Amino acid sequence: MHDAQYSAEEYKTHAGFGHSTYEEALSLAEQAGVKELAFFHHDPLHSDTDVDALIEQALGNHRAAGRR
């Protein structure tokens, strides 16, 4: 499990808030050889649709980079 409150774009205006991006979570999981990853601690201002879109974006970017 890893914090994934922001996208990289959102993080630009939230640096120092103590939260990570889904990109950072994916990178760390990859480096550690993690087989399953769960994101948590989503921005309370995000709707369920926003969270779903971030997850789809994360998975799409991950797949597009040739990763599983």
Side-chain angles (χ1 to χ4, degrees), residues 45-63:
L45 298 178
H46 288 165
S47 68
D48 288 347
T49 302
D50 293 335
V51 172
D52 289 343
L54 282 173
I55 292 168
E56 286 302 315
Q57 183 180 3
L59 292 174
N61 290 346
H62 191 69
R63 288 184 189 121

